[in-house]
């Protein structure tokens, strides 16, 4: 069903959301105050553009919001100003818009759910926490080029590139299972030569294959030792350049999960350094230039297991991550805002690039596409695939059927199942029950068909 959606803000996040939701067939109106951004999105996309401040009732009225009309189904406010986003959502609710989503720049708004409830906002989201979580997972499992925590941290989705010395190379999948009987995992997709496919038991792993896997989090290092044996060791020392929100959140997560990790943060802003040092007393905070090779060497960069560049400049982060790798850091990660930098790992010596704006845009897009009992776990833009969590509702056509009886469509696989807080990798004989949380991996094209097997539908 096509929705009428008003998007406030045409920056990197807003334009990405507008592009994807317009392609889905929804009627999109974009509100943008900056003339350059407004003209660009007007020329590039098949959307209506309203020029003005999205926090003004008169501007939102020109965008089609009205107490007398219920034509607008959803408002998404994703500027880089909290006051604009929150006010736009508040006005939209007063004008009768049933659902509103707001980006939160200030982390305090997402510390708990009360702010969203008190403000009447259906979803209040900040990318920094999601990005920090992804960076932490990438550091914890250094052989992974993508990592996402699922099932409350008890399991994860890990993407590995099969190294030439990987013990999996040359073996069909069933043989890998036979040789590692204690390892409970499922390879849900393989990318090879620019193409991707859902593998069968007889398919063989080749050097250079990008393998998308699901496994228990406490077995991630066992899986890593198979695909990337030279990188499989415990995380002990991390350098973080930039004491902003992402740098702070990443350091805090690392120290809270593994207090014995040595975390060293660098920033040239004395006030930031003093604040972080007070909030994270077990971290080493250095007021200095993170691009100073001599400074990095003096702090032992050659012993660093991970190097995270998280300043507010994309290009600087990319170059810093290269510098960290050059000076001996085991894994270099750059945090960027622009999506066009994501493919740079193919051309420069950086292990992973994390796009915080893409993370936010994906959350918004997928929650519009998959409402109700569905929850997006992660999106893999590079292979046009995604992982969705579905809670099996009462009366679902899947309840009481085994996986073999489900006959999931080609290009999809049920990778993990959570029941009564127990997580398991299902087999063909596993019977689906009401209340189960099922993780489905599928191509973007196939996902709506896979959802129908559970009585769910996309927008």
């Amino acid at each position: 069903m096509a929705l009428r959606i008003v998007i406030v803000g045409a920056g990197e996040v807003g334009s990405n959301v507008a592009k994807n939701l317009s392609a889905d067939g929804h009627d999109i109106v974009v509100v943008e105050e900056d003339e350059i951004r407004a003209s660009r999105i007007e020329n590039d996309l098949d959307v209506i553009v309203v020029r003005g401040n999205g926090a003004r009732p008169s501007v939102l009225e020109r965008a089609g919001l009205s107490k007398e009309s219920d034509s607008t189904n959803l408002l998404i406010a994703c500027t880089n100003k909290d006051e604009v986003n929150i006010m736009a959502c508040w006005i939209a609710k007063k004008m009768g818009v049933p659902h509103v989503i707001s980006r939160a720049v200030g982390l305090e708004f997402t510390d708990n759910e009360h702010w969203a409830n008190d403000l009447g906002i259906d979803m209040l989201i900040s990318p920094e926490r999601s990005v920090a979580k992804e960076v932490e997972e990438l550091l914890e499992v250094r052989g992974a080029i993508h990592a996402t925590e699922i099932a409350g941290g008890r399991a994860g989705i890990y993407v590995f590139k099969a190294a030439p010395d990987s013990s999996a190379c040359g073996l069909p999948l069933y043989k890998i299972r036979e040789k590692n009987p204690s390892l409970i995992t499922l390879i849900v997709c393989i990318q090879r030569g620019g193409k991707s496919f859902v593998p069968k038991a007889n398919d063989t792993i080749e050097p250079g294959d990008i393998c998308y896997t699901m496994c228990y989090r406490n077995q991630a290092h066992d899986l890593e030792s198979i695909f990337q044996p030279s990188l499989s060791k415990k995380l002990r020392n991390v350098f973080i350049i930039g004491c902003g929100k992402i740098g702070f959140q990443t350091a805090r997560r690392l120290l809270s999960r593994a207090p014995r990790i040595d975390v060293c943060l660098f920033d040239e802003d004395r006030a930031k350094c003093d604040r972080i040092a007070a909030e994270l007393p077990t971290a080493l905070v250095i007021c200095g230039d993170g691009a100073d090779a001599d400074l990095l060497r003096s702090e032992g960069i050659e012993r660093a297991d991970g190097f995270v560049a998280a300043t507010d400049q994309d290009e600087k982060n990319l170059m810093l991550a290269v510098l960290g790798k050059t000076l001996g850091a085991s894994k270099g990660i750059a945090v960027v805002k622009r999506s066009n930098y994501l493919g740079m790992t193919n051309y420069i010596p950086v292990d992973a690039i994390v796009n915080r704006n893409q993370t936010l845009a994906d959350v918004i897009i997928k929650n519009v596409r998959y409402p109700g009992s569905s929850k997006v776990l992660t999106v893999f833009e590079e292979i046009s695939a995604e992982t969705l969590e579905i809670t099996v509702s009462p009366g679902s056509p899947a309840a009481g059927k085994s996986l073999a009886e489900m006959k999931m469509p080609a290009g999809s696989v049920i990778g993990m199942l959570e029941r009564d807080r127990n997580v398991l990798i299902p087999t063909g004989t596993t019977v689906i029950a009401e209340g189960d949380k099922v993780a489905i991996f599928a191509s973007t094209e196939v996902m709506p068909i896979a959802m129908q097997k559970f009585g769910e539908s996309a927008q």
Side-chain angles (χ1 to χ4, degrees), residues 305-327:
D305 300 314
F307 185 97
V308 182
T311 75
D312 57 1
Q313 298 177 41
D314 288 1
E315 294 79 7
K316 183 177 181 179
N317 289 341
L318 290 167
M319 291 302 99
L320 282 170
V322 171
L323 175 64
K325 288 282 290 184
T326 302
L327 294 176

Side-chain angles (χ1 to χ4, degrees), residues 89-340:
C89 287
W90 185 83
I91 294 170
K93 279 287 190 177
K94 290 297 182 182
M95 288 183 167
V97 176
H99 300 289
V100 296
I101 296 174
S102 175
R103 173 186 183 180
V105 178
L107 289 173
E108 63 270 20
F109 287 113
T110 53
D111 282 338
N112 55 60
E113 296 179 356
H114 297 306
W115 276 112
N117 293 333
D118 293 345
L119 292 166
I121 296 173
D122 299 291
M123 180 179 291
L124 190 60
I125 49 178
S126 172
E128 283 80 11
R129 283 193 170 86
S130 297
V131 169
K133 184 184 292 186
E134 181 174 353
V135 170
E136 180 203 4
E137 288 293 303
L138 287 168
L139 290 170
E140 286 277 3
V141 188
R142 268 174 291 157
I145 56 178
H146 179 90
T148 300
E149 183 182 277
I150 61 175
R154 288 165 290 162
I157 301 170
Y158 302 96
V159 183
F160 296 99
K161 185 175 184 178
D165 60 345
S166 166
S167 62
C169 290
L171 294 177
L173 299 190
Y174 76 90
K175 280 289 185 183
I176 298 174
R177 296 191 190 102
E178 287 180 1
K179 292 185 70 172
N180 302 275
S182 62
L183 181 60
I184 309 299
T185 186
L186 185 66
I187 299 176
V188 296
C189 183
I190 295 175
Q191 185 182 11
R192 179 185 298 161
K195 296 182 179 180
S196 59
F197 61 94
V198 175
K200 296 180 174 61
N202 288 317
D203 286 324
T204 301
I205 301 294
E206 297 180 5
D209 280 354
I210 308 295
C211 300
Y212 294 72
T213 72
M214 291 187 189
C215 75
Y216 299 132
R217 196 181 189 285
N218 60 8
Q219 291 192 324
H221 287 292
D222 297 330
L223 193 59
E224 179 185 47
S225 67
I226 293 174
F227 287 102
Q228 288 284 340
S230 64
L231 295 177
S232 184
K233 58 180 181 178
K234 288 187 177 181
L235 185 69
R236 300 187 184 280
N237 193 311
V238 177
F239 280 41
I240 300 174
I241 313 300
C243 287
K245 295 174 186 175
I246 292 176
F248 169 71
Q249 287 291 323
T250 301
R252 186 168 73 171
R253 288 185 63 88
L254 288 170
L255 291 169
S256 63
R257 177 168 286 186
R260 294 183 179 178
I261 291 178
D262 293 325
V263 176
C264 187
L265 296 107
F266 297 79
D267 202 294
E268 294 183 86
D269 187 318
R270 169 60 67 182
K272 281 186 179 179
C273 290
D274 290 343
R275 185 174 67 252
I276 298 300
E279 295 195 40
L280 300 175
T282 58
L284 175 62
V285 183
I286 297 174
C287 187
D289 184 2
D292 186 335
D294 290 335
L295 176 60
L296 295 175
R297 287 193 188 97
S298 70
E299 297 301 327
I301 183 66
E302 73 280 356
R303 299 189 303 275
D305 300 314
F307 185 97
V308 182
T311 75
D312 57 1
Q313 298 177 41
D314 288 1
E315 294 79 7
K316 183 177 181 179
N317 289 341
L318 290 167
M319 291 302 99
L320 282 170
V322 171
L323 175 64
K325 288 282 290 184
T326 302
L327 294 176
S330 178
K331 185 167 188 173
I333 301 171
V335 179
V336 301
K337 302 173 187 174
R338 296 182 180 90
S339 58
N340 56 316

Side-chain angles (χ1 to χ4, degrees), residues 57-84:
S58 58
V59 174
L60 293 179
E61 284 178 356
R62 286 195 281 121
L65 274 66
S66 169
K67 290 183 178 180
E68 289 71 40
S69 172
D70 60 356
S71 61
T72 300
N73 305 103
L74 171 67
L75 180 136
I76 303 168
C78 46
T79 75
N80 59 0
K81 296 180 179 178
D82 284 338
E83 58 269 26
V84 172

